[in-house]
């Protein structure tokens, strides 16, 4: 290779890394919008006067947008190109932030949450594929590692930033989204300048929007373990994102919004670091290591019973490890056992389990905590996680291959 060719190759690699950094920033920014509400839920609850059940419904309705993007729009960027679809996801995120900024009641929050889920589903799915094409490496798992770790980094930064603004700055329900809109504008400019990787983009009319999802009969039993593991891991993340601030205020008597945001930031950062640090751990070892979900929920319940912030911090760290291993291990197992010609459909089914795990148990906790107490609801949630972990272990051991 000539010196000129070597320089050209090096410049291309550097350009690819810069472009990949822009796409990773997009993924982080989109997910930051999901948890910006985490420390604000208590304030919204006081201002709008809604119940704990309504709070959990506002959180859970986000999954509607996720599922719409996954089932109907997942294949669009393959046809029309990565950049147009990524910009569409950013545009939806901007609209969602504007609705939050001017929200006057619960209906506004519901609409904004659905749009947030849609924007994330479109942008993050497109971004993950885009990363794999921008990185100059044959190891496509690197793109998945970057995408999932920046996903959780964004989740953590969104909660942390909103918590500090809510506690130490004026207009907590407005300023948070003004700052977020400025972030989205900056990242959108970076995405607009990132090169397209689809060689011959087509037209939107060429894409079928009909929802399509099915599972091959011969691997359905083998999919139970990763699906249940992903459900349980994301259920814990949803528990923290929706309910941790309420638990801190009611059971641990911590009313500082910055501390509530920092607790979720701890979870997200531990998760992101664990994903990167355990990249070489085998998929099934990672999935079975997610059985750390069991002591995690025990610590969460103990923190409430003893009103101990120290136990809560320890449980949060362990939750981050368990969530990372469960999510990453489950996804990798699914990729390994799925037939090549149906991998997208099978992976989509796994993500649906994760999205449902992130949303549905939270609603149950909200109902139970209203009818009984937050501690009883957490004990019931812990029991569910234990059962799911044991089911995953049994199916994983029986159908290991």
């Amino acid at each position: 290779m000539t010196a000129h060719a070597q320089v050209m190759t090096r410049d291309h690699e550097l350009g690819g890394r810069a472009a990949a950094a822009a796409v990773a920033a997009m993924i982080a920014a989109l997910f930051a919008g999901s948890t910006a509400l985490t420390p604000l839920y208590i304030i919204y609850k006081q201002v709008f006067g809604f119940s704990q059940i309504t709070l959990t419904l506002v959180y859970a309705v986000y999954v509607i947008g996720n599922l719409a993007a996954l089932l109907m729009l997942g294949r669009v960027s393959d046809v029309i190109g990565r950049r147009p679809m990524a910009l569409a996801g950013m545009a939806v995120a901007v609209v969602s932030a504007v609705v939050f900024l001017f929200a006057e009641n619960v209906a506004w929050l519901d609409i904004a949450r659905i749009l947030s889920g849609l924007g994330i589903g479109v942008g993050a799915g497109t971004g993950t594929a885009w990363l794999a094409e921008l990185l100059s490496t044959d190891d496509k798992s690197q793109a998945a590692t970057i995408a999932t770790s920046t996903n959780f980094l964004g989740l953590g930064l969104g909660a942390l930033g909103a918590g500090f603004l809510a506690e130490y700055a004026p207009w907590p329900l407005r300023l948070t989204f003004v700052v977020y809109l400025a972030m989205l504008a900056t990242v959108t400019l970076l995405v607009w300048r990132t090169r397209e990787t689809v060689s011959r983009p087509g037209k939107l009319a060429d894409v079928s929007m009909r929802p399509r999802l099915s599972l091959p009969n011969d691997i359905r039993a083998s999919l139970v373990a990763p699906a249940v593991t992903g459900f349980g891991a994301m259920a814990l993340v949803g528990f923290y994102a929706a309910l941790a601030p309420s638990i801190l205020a009611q059971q641990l008597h911590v009313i500082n919004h910055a501390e509530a945001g920092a607790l979720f930031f701890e979870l997200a950062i531990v998760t992101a670091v664990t994903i990167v640090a355990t990249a070489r751990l085998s998929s099934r070892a990672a999935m079975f290591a997610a059985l750390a979900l069991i002591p995690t929920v025990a610590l969460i319940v103990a923190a409430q019973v003893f009103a101990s912030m120290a136990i809560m911090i320890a449980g949060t760290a362990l939750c981050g490890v368990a969530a990372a291993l469960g999510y990453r291990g489950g996804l990798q197992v699914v990729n390994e056992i799925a037939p090549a010609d149906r991998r997208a459909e099978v992976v989509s089914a796994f993500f649906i389990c994760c999205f449902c795990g992130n949303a549905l148990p939270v609603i149950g906790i909200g109902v139970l905590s209203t009818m009984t107490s937050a501690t009883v609801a957490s004990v019931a949630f812990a029991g569910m996680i234990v059962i799911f972990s044991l089911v995953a272990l049994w199916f994983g051991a029986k159908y290991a291959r």
Side-chain angles (χ1 to χ4, degrees):
M1 182 181 292
T2 65
H4 177 70
Q6 289 177 338
V7 171
M8 291 289 289
T9 300
R10 185 169 60 252
D11 289 345
H12 179 74
E13 290 178 354
L14 291 174
R17 291 173 186 172
V23 175
M26 176 192 73
I27 294 173
L30 286 170
F31 277 100
S34 170
T35 51
L37 261 71
T38 293
L40 305 182
Y41 280 124
I42 292 179
I43 304 176
Y44 278 120
K45 189 176 177 182
Q46 295 169 346
V47 173
F48 293 160
F50 53 73
S51 67
Q52 188 76 353
I53 296 176
T54 301
L55 185 156
T56 57
L57 289 173
V58 169
Y59 175 82
V61 75
Y62 157 91
V63 78
I64 295 175
N66 283 153
L67 294 178
L70 184 65
L71 293 174
M72 293 186 290
L73 303 175
R75 302 176 296 278
V76 175
S77 73
D78 293 332
V79 177
I80 71 170
R82 309 299 182 200
R83 185 167 53 191
M85 204 59 186
L87 291 173
M90 295 298 290
V92 174
V94 168
V95 175
S96 169
V98 170
V99 176
F100 276 128
L101 179 62
F102 296 105
E104 296 182 352
N105 52 47
V106 174
W108 287 60
L109 298 182
D110 286 336
I111 293 170
R113 284 288 289 169
I114 292 173
L115 289 173
S116 176
L118 180 62
I120 288 172
V122 171
T126 300
T128 301
W130 206 358
L131 278 173
E133 295 159 354
L134 287 169
L135 294 171
S136 300
T137 174
D138 294 329
D139 182 12
K140 298 307 180 185
S141 65
Q142 182 182 359
T145 299
I146 293 173
T148 52
S149 58
T150 52
N151 166 343
F152 281 99
L153 178 63
L155 291 173
L157 290 175
L160 184 67
F164 271 86
L165 289 174
E167 186 65 29
Y168 302 115
W171 317 298
L173 300 183
R174 310 295 182 196
L175 185 59
T176 294
F177 298 104
V178 171
V179 172
Y180 183 54
L181 281 167
M183 179 198 300
L184 289 176
T186 303
V187 174
T188 299
L189 179 61
L190 293 175
V191 171
W192 180 69
R193 297 181 62 184
T194 301
R195 65 182 175 87
E196 179 59 68
T197 53
V198 174
S199 57
R200 295 181 180 179
K203 298 179 180 179
L204 186 61
D206 300 329
V207 187
S208 171
M209 298 294 182
R210 182 173 60 87
R212 186 174 65 193
L213 187 69
S214 62
L215 296 174
N217 291 329
D218 58 335
I219 65 168
R220 287 184 180 180
S222 301
L223 286 171
V224 173
V228 170
T229 303
F231 185 100
M234 290 301 102
L236 268 177
V237 175
F239 175 88
Y240 269 88
L243 300 170
S246 297
I247 290 173
L248 290 182
Q250 295 169 12
Q251 271 70 47
L252 278 66
H253 313 295
V254 176
I255 58 174
N256 186 297
H257 300 301
E259 289 187 43
L263 187 71
F264 189 85
F265 178 76
E266 177 199 354
L267 166 67
I269 290 303
V270 171
T271 303
V273 170
T274 302
I275 288 173
V276 175
T278 62
R280 294 187 180 276
L281 189 66
S282 74
S283 57
R284 291 195 177 275
M287 187 174 71
F288 289 138
L291 289 173
L293 292 169
I294 295 176
T296 295
V297 291
L299 286 174
I300 292 173
V301 172
Q304 294 177 66
V305 171
F306 298 107
S308 171
M309 190 64 180
I311 296 177
M312 193 69 177
I313 290 172
T316 301
L318 188 56
C319 176
V321 174
L325 294 173
Y327 178 73
R328 199 271 291 175
L331 177 58
Q332 194 171 336
V333 168
V334 168
N335 269 319
E336 290 169 357
I337 66 177
D341 60 338
R342 301 186 64 180
R343 181 166 287 118
E345 290 179 274
V346 176
V347 171
S348 294
F350 173 79
F351 283 138
I352 287 175
C353 291
C354 291
F355 290 150
C356 290
N358 190 249
L360 299 182
V362 166
I363 299 174
I365 296 170
V367 173
L368 267 179
S369 62
T370 301
M371 296 173 59
T372 56
S373 69
T375 303
V376 170
S378 294
V379 170
F381 174 72
M384 181 201 77
I385 293 295
V386 170
I387 292 171
F388 272 47
S389 298
L390 295 176
V391 168
L393 177 63
W394 188 84
F395 273 91
K398 182 175 181 180
Y399 295 99
R401 57 181 180 177

